[in-house]
Amino acid sequence: MAKHEKPLCLVTVVVPTRGAIRDVLQYLARHGGVANVQVLTVDLAVTKLAAPALAPRVPLPFPYLAASVQKVLADEPGVFVDVADQPITAEALAAASRTLGTVADRSHVDATPLVRDMLRVHTSATAAHTETHYLPHEAYAAATSRIDELGEVVVFLPTAADAGAAQFLEALSNRGQLIESNVEPLGTMVIHASDADDEVRSITRLVRQHLSAGVPGHRIGLFFANSDPYLRLIHEHFGSAGIKFAGEQCHTMRHRPAARSLRRLLSIDTDTMPRRELLSILSERVVTWYYGTPIAALPLRRVERLTRARIQIVGGSDWERLAELDPEDRDADVATAVHSLVTTLRDDLNAVAHAATWSEASRCVIDVLGRYFNSRSKQPDSSATKDIRDLMTICQELGELDGVAPPPTLSGIVNAISVRIDAVPKTVGTTTSAVTVGPLAAGAGRDFDVCIVVGAAEGILPATRREDPLLPSTLVGRTLADEIQREKSQFLATLESGDHHRIVSFPRGSMRGGAEKVPSRWLMPTLDALSGNKIGVVDWQKQTADVESIVTVESFDVSTQTVDPRIGVSAASETEWRLGALAEHAADYRRGALDDSIVNAGMELRSDRLKGKFTRFNGNVSHIENAVTFFDKPVSASRLEDWVASPYRFFVKTVLGVDTLDDPDDAAQLDPLTRGNLIHLSLERYVQGTIDGTDATLEHLIEVSEEVLADARVDAPGWLPQLWEKDSSIIRRELVEWFELDRTDREGGWTPLHVERNFGVEPDVVVLDLVGEKVAFAGKIDRIDRHTDGRIRVTDYKSGQATSYKKLSESEPTDGGTKFQLPVYGLLALTMGDDVTTRYWFVNHKAKYETIGYPLTDAAVEVLKADIFRVHRMIRAGYFPPRPPDSFWANPLIDLIGKAGLERAWSSLRDVPELADYRAKYGD
């Protein structure tokens, strides 16, 4: 009709979405040809008409608008003075200004002071670009004046994004023909699930069913009412199911490592260069530093160990300590490389921060990208490589902000980069072959065999809306009611795009918790039609329970064990297929049902733990006992005590070599272990000095302790000064009190022979003859004294409480097989004399400097042998039961393993024969 029997006359069809352009052209090509017919969306039509008329001016890009808003806020913040320096303020005002750009008449009689100042910011920001750029309302006006250039006009399903577009559409409709739907389309199927995750999982099965039935992917459209959480869930479930789709990216450039690392790097405090933040950025594996010969990337595992354990670094001047490491040290090369990285990076980031112009800032940021950002992928089209390339382009554009934005600052540079990152195209897949996925608005005017709308629950569709305090409805020409009506029109137009199948789904609950959800008000007509009755919003589930075309998905567990042919008989993913296959067998017969070693191992693990079997999944490695080589070399008595306290922790830490690293940032003050080490070191140096001939004076002890404390303060930069002063003063006081006791001890005839006496290497080897095997010990004795009468005394310093050591005696030398240090140390002392006494000396004020010990007799040695034999036999056998340690001290390794899990596993092993001896000795 539009051509009026003139086949070559120009006809313009205006459609609501970009996707509809292709569908309309294909339809016209199948029904009479497309000669001299152009199909455009509203925005494309406006651009086609307005761009030549407004040239050489071009549309105002949002990054330019945002920069101008920042400049206005910097020059004259007005009511925004208290928040003008916050990036979110400029971002919100720039977004409001973009919306205002669609409105020609921006007068508002009853404007609040906030709105009036927002209008001022908008006017000033856009005025700066009048000569070079134009706003949307200017484009609408120019396009309206040139509508005749479109020839005959057909408006198909008019949809306007803003008030200006609505006016232009009205002008188009008045000039040409308007095609609208006269009836509200109804769905052919409704699916409701427990939450959005189960909802999308069910839709995935349904899509697989249609694909397997021969429906081409491009003839299926899936549209969501809200991108959160639906876009992420669609990516996740379609990816697991191997379904190709075209739509928005779930993780955009903003969320990927390259962009995230650049923003974090530019925001780092260059004065302190905090270690935790810097290494966190390096762990993204995009920022890379190369060193050494041959050239290699900085080994982050070694860097973590170096800067956490060997040279503790928090930031600031701590980094300079890396340069002091001995060149012959095993970590010298890494330390030098890290120091070089910190120094160079600080200079480069300071250059960015001190850039006087945006052009200079652009060059400096590009230098940072070129020097530090490298994609580890060897593929030139990898995501990281593309992102770095795009970031280079973005940073080059920063130079165009001179005279537009306020002078550059670090936060301003980061914000400008972020704005441009958000403008990078964010789509995946091709619509010519894959399933189309998009927001609800993208489905209007499309042509599909199968159209699916997800998220049709009240509160999601329509979405909850509130009046924008910056943009009152009367200012932008659209009320909240208009927005809701627009969303309804989009929903109906999208639903109508399904020729054969129109499926609507919604969740009955939220993944984040909260109240039960009900069907959208716009879905109720479909429920009425499918059920043949009027459905209420309260009893809707009961009223639709037996309707064939209304599908209830109870839960993920139920759906994997049952098949509903209405939404597909095949699983949505490999995981679901496995679960479904296993569900066909009774619980006791599922092991081995699948030819899958991972699933079978997982089932074996779960079964063994539930049934209380002592296997490789809860600490029994007897099947590879020869791999446990702990006793092949001299062992530490304290390590054996660790096995007694928690065999599984011993296995993880000592046998597997897995442990946690302390973080210097978390150490605000002395922990008990470090406190004890400082006291030990002070006493060691003091007593060794007296052995070497220095007078045993208080002045000597104070001098030694001050050196130890000074070194400790340097090695622990995270300690707070006020807490350090308190803790160090307590140590000083306790050392003075200890000195008086030690002097009395000396006056009683005791003289130190050795401090920190090492043993474990010939000729100083301590060996116990057990039944059939010998156990060699290694260790370090805090102190050995000799009395004037020839007696030998072994001392082990303790800095904690004496409560748990009270049971030690000659008859109980190991406290029930839990403490082996004193008798093992005493065995070495027996090589120096026949009369040996052992003791723990609790060197702190709270413990009142108490000593607990006993003489090392033959009977005590026999007790030691029996207890060591038991531990030796079980470790040799490969038994490491999951008993958690009975201690109130924090233990990061146990936290990592999971104390609650250990407790459950240990409680299930009550009747295991292999552990009967252990339980009898050490209890539950």
Side-chain angles (χ1 to χ4, degrees):
M1 293 177 61
K3 285 185 175 287
H4 300 295
E5 299 181 354
K6 298 178 181 179
L8 296 182
C9 76
L10 174 62
V11 175
T12 300
V13 181
V14 179
V15 296
T17 61
R18 300 281 178 117
I21 294 177
R22 186 193 66 188
D23 293 346
V24 169
L25 285 173
Q26 289 179 345
Y27 180 87
L28 292 176
R30 294 192 301 267
H31 299 80
V34 291
N36 209 19
V37 174
Q38 58 181 354
V39 183
L40 305 172
T41 59
V42 171
D43 59 327
L44 290 177
V46 170
T47 300
K48 182 179 181 65
L49 295 174
L54 299 176
R57 293 194 296 161
V58 296
L60 178 61
F62 182 70
Y64 276 34
L65 176 59
S68 294
V69 168
Q70 288 178 326
K71 190 173 190 307
V72 173
L73 288 175
D75 295 341
E76 193 175 348
V79 300
F80 307 105
V81 61
D82 293 331
V83 292
D85 59 340
Q86 300 299 316
I88 190 65
T89 303
E91 185 178 332
L93 289 175
S97 181
R98 176 170 54 186
T99 301
L100 279 177
T102 65
V103 181
D105 182 12
R106 294 183 296 276
S107 60
H108 190 49
V109 178
D110 299 325
T112 64
L114 180 70
V115 173
R116 284 198 299 270
D117 225 35
M118 184 274 299
L119 288 171
R120 174 187 63 82
V121 171
H122 166 72
T123 303
S124 299
T126 54
H129 303 279
T130 303
E131 296 183 359
T132 56
H133 298 83
Y134 58 83
L135 298 178
H137 74 85
E138 297 178 88
Y140 289 137
T144 302
S145 66
R146 304 181 66 184
I147 283 182
D148 291 344
E149 296 181 16
L150 297 178
E152 295 296 325
V153 176
V154 177
V155 179
F156 174 53
L157 296 178
T159 302
D162 51 63
Q167 293 176 359
F168 178 67
L169 266 176
E170 184 179 359
L172 288 174
S173 301
N174 292 335
R175 188 187 183 286
Q177 301 179 36
L178 178 64
I179 301 176
E180 290 184 289
S181 177
N182 296 322
V183 296
E184 289 191 0
L186 299 174
T188 58
M189 175 184 284
V190 174
I191 302 171
H192 56 90
S194 57
D195 56 30
D197 190 41
D198 275 345
E199 179 189 1
V200 175
R201 187 180 285 109
S202 302
I203 294 300
T204 303
R205 295 193 195 97
L206 183 66
V207 171
R208 284 174 61 91
Q209 182 184 54
H210 284 293
L211 290 172
S212 63
V215 179
H218 69 277
R219 297 293 299 164
I220 301 175
L222 172 59
F223 304 96
F224 45 81
N226 197 331
S227 60
D228 180 25
Y230 286 101
L231 183 58
R232 174 182 58 82
L233 292 173
I234 292 169
H235 273 262
E236 177 184 337
H237 291 299
F238 274 31
S240 297
I243 298 175
K244 301 296 183 183
F245 63 95
E248 296 180 25
Q249 287 182 352
C250 176
H251 297 289
T252 63
M253 185 178 176
R254 168 185 279 269
H255 304 107
R256 292 195 292 268
R260 184 167 58 239
S261 295
L262 178 60
R263 298 202 316 271
R264 292 177 66 188
L265 203 60
L266 293 177
S267 302
I268 201 169
D269 183 350
T270 55
D271 290 333
T272 59
M273 295 294 285
R275 180 199 59 83
R276 179 184 285 179
E277 178 67 9
L278 178 59
L279 293 190
S280 176
I281 294 171
L282 293 176
S283 68
E284 297 265 27
R285 302 287 180 173
V286 176
V287 176
T288 310
W289 186 252
Y290 294 94
Y291 79 111
T293 305
I295 298 297
L298 199 62
L300 297 186
R301 184 171 179 270
R302 288 181 64 189
V303 174
E304 287 281 4
R305 286 187 173 276
L306 173 65
T307 58
R308 281 175 179 251
R310 291 205 61 197
I311 303 176
Q312 295 186 9
I313 292 175
V314 173
S317 60
D318 302 341
W319 294 108
E320 298 306 316
R321 297 171 58 206
L322 294 174
E324 300 169 3
L325 204 61
D326 190 328
E328 300 301 320
D329 190 282
R330 68 181 187 277
D331 289 325
D333 56 342
V334 173
T336 301
V338 174
H339 183 265
S340 175
L341 166 63
V342 171
T343 303
T344 306
L345 183 58
R346 179 186 283 122
D347 292 341
D348 289 341
L349 294 178
N350 281 334
V352 176
H354 296 135
T357 65
W358 283 95
S359 298
E360 183 182 352
S362 172
R363 290 192 299 270
C364 291
V365 177
I366 290 173
D367 288 343
V368 169
L369 279 170
R371 178 170 293 178
Y372 303 99
F373 282 69
N374 297 278
S375 169
R376 289 182 174 243
S377 172
K378 297 181 180 179
Q379 302 298 325
D381 57 347
S382 69
S383 174
T385 302
K386 289 180 178 178
D387 284 350
I388 293 173
R389 210 161 43 227
D390 289 341
L391 286 173
M392 282 284 189
T393 302
I394 286 172
C395 293
Q396 288 172 353
E397 295 173 356
L398 295 181
E400 301 172 1
L401 296 180
D402 283 323
V404 176
T409 61
L410 270 179
S411 61
I413 292 170
V414 172
N415 187 59
I417 291 174
S418 298
V419 169
R420 284 159 177 77
I421 287 173
D422 291 339
V424 174
K426 301 171 285 189
T427 59
V428 295
T430 57
T431 57
T432 56
S433 59
V435 175
T436 297
V437 171
L440 199 60
R446 299 300 308 274
D447 178 26
F448 296 111
D449 290 337
V450 180
C451 176
I452 305 169
V453 176
V454 297
E458 197 68 23
I460 303 175
L461 185 72
T464 303
R465 286 179 169 81
R466 294 180 177 85
E467 187 81 16
D468 188 339
L470 288 177
L471 295 172
S473 300
T474 52
L475 180 62
V476 296
R478 293 177 76 94
T479 65
L480 295 181
D482 293 334
E483 290 295 329
I484 292 176
Q485 183 58 42
R486 174 171 168 261
E487 189 174 10
K488 180 181 180 180
S489 299
Q490 290 174 344
F491 167 68
L492 295 176
T494 297
L495 191 61
E496 193 175 16
S497 66
D499 291 341
H500 306 301
H501 302 277
R502 296 178 296 279
I503 299 103
V504 186
S505 69
F506 66 94
R508 299 188 299 273
S510 171
M511 296 171 63
R512 300 182 176 94
E516 182 179 351
K517 295 187 179 298
V518 298
S520 168
R521 68 193 75 170
W522 301 330
L523 182 58
M524 299 308 294
T526 292
L527 295 178
D528 294 343
L530 294 179
S531 64
N533 298 296
K534 186 67 176 178
I535 302 300
V537 294
V538 176
D539 297 329
W540 66 269
Q541 196 166 354
K542 181 186 296 184
Q543 292 174 309
T544 61
D546 299 325
V547 179
E548 177 67 19
S549 53
I550 299 178
V551 181
T552 301
V553 180
E554 293 293 345
S555 66
F556 172 65
D557 185 52
V558 172
S559 62
T560 56
Q561 299 184 46
T562 58
V563 172
D564 192 330
R566 293 175 294 177
I567 59 174
V569 296
S570 66
S573 65
E574 292 183 10
T575 299
E576 288 187 39
W577 180 86
R578 292 189 182 100
L579 293 173
L582 291 173
E584 297 176 1
H585 304 272
D588 290 339
Y589 300 96
R590 288 174 182 172
R591 287 174 60 173
L594 296 180
D595 185 18
D596 189 311
S597 59
I598 296 176
V599 171
N600 289 333
M603 296 181 65
E604 184 182 356
L605 178 152
R606 189 169 184 269
S607 175
D608 289 352
R609 289 181 174 176
L610 287 175
K611 295 180 178 180
K613 294 182 179 180
F614 188 40
T615 66
R616 63 192 175 110
F617 297 112
N618 48 22
N620 185 353
V621 293
S622 57
H623 60 293
I624 53 169
E625 59 180 284
N626 292 332
V628 181
T629 60
F630 177 67
F631 286 105
D632 291 357
K633 57 185 178 181
V635 300
S636 163
S638 61
R639 294 284 78 78
L640 297 182
E641 294 175 3
D642 287 345
W643 182 89
V644 171
S646 179
Y648 194 82
R649 180 182 63 181
F650 171 91
F651 175 71
V652 173
K653 183 176 180 179
T654 303
V655 178
L656 299 182
V658 176
D659 203 357
T660 58
L661 280 176
D662 293 332
D663 191 335
D665 291 82
D666 295 334
Q669 68 180 107
L670 270 174
D671 61 273
L673 178 60
T674 304
R675 181 180 180 279
N677 290 338
L678 294 180
I679 293 175
H680 275 61
L681 185 56
S682 297
L683 298 183
E684 173 195 346
R685 292 185 182 179
Y686 164 72
V687 176
Q688 184 63 57
T690 63
I691 295 174
D692 294 339
T694 305
D695 292 338
T697 63
L698 180 59
E699 290 74 16
H700 176 214
L701 176 58
I702 292 175
E703 180 183 351
V704 167
S705 64
E706 289 301 330
E707 291 177 357
V708 170
L709 293 175
D711 291 342
R713 185 67 184 90
V714 172
D715 291 336
W719 292 344
L720 298 177
Q722 60 272 32
L723 295 179
W724 166 246
E725 288 301 325
K726 176 180 71 70
D727 293 335
S728 60
S729 65
I730 293 174
I731 291 175
R732 292 185 183 97
R733 185 191 68 184
E734 291 178 338
L735 288 175
V736 171
E737 293 173 349
W738 172 90
F739 173 80
E740 294 300 328
L741 296 173
D742 184 66
R743 183 168 62 181
T744 301
D745 202 46
R746 287 172 182 269
E747 292 172 353
W750 290 102
T751 304
L753 291 179
H754 304 283
V755 292
E756 297 298 315
R757 178 70 156 78
N758 285 298
F759 64 94
V761 179
E762 293 289 352
D764 298 321
V765 179
V766 174
V767 178
L768 273 183
D769 289 319
L770 304 179
V771 179
E773 190 168 351
K774 294 182 178 181
V775 176
F777 289 92
K780 184 182 291 186
I781 303 173
D782 289 344
R783 178 172 176 172
I784 301 176
D785 295 271
R786 185 191 299 275
H787 197 269
T788 53
D789 61 10
R791 286 178 292 159
I792 302 296
R793 184 179 64 192
V794 171
T795 298
D796 189 68
Y797 298 125
K798 294 295 181 184
S799 56
Q801 295 293 315
T803 307
S804 61
Y805 295 83
K806 294 290 187 180
K807 295 180 182 179
L808 284 173
S809 64
E810 183 178 350
S811 61
E812 283 288 347
T814 64
D815 190 9
T818 61
K819 298 177 176 64
F820 305 127
Q821 281 182 298
L822 286 188
V824 169
Y825 293 171
L827 292 177
L828 178 67
L830 285 175
T831 64
M832 305 174 189
D834 296 332
D835 190 350
V836 174
T837 301
T838 63
R839 68 170 182 170
Y840 288 117
W841 192 356
F842 296 87
V843 288
N844 65 84
H845 183 77
K846 288 183 178 180
K848 299 179 180 179
Y849 306 95
E850 183 177 0
T851 61
I852 297 177
Y854 50 83
L856 187 65
T857 62
D858 291 342
V861 173
E862 290 304 314
V863 173
L864 173 67
K865 286 183 178 181
D867 291 337
I868 293 292
F869 173 74
R870 181 181 295 102
V871 175
H872 172 270
R873 176 173 57 82
M874 297 194 73
I875 293 178
R876 276 296 196 196
Y879 296 159
F880 304 96
R883 182 192 184 193
D886 183 16
S887 173
F888 63 88
W889 295 110
N891 191 300
L893 184 58
I894 289 296
D895 293 340
L896 189 64
I897 296 171
K899 186 173 182 180
L902 285 180
E903 290 173 343
R904 286 194 299 269
W906 175 239
S907 64
S908 70
L909 299 176
R910 293 185 179 278
D911 301 321
V912 174
E914 298 95 324
L915 302 179
D917 191 25
Y918 180 85
R919 282 189 177 274
K921 181 68 177 178
Y922 302 112
D924 292 337

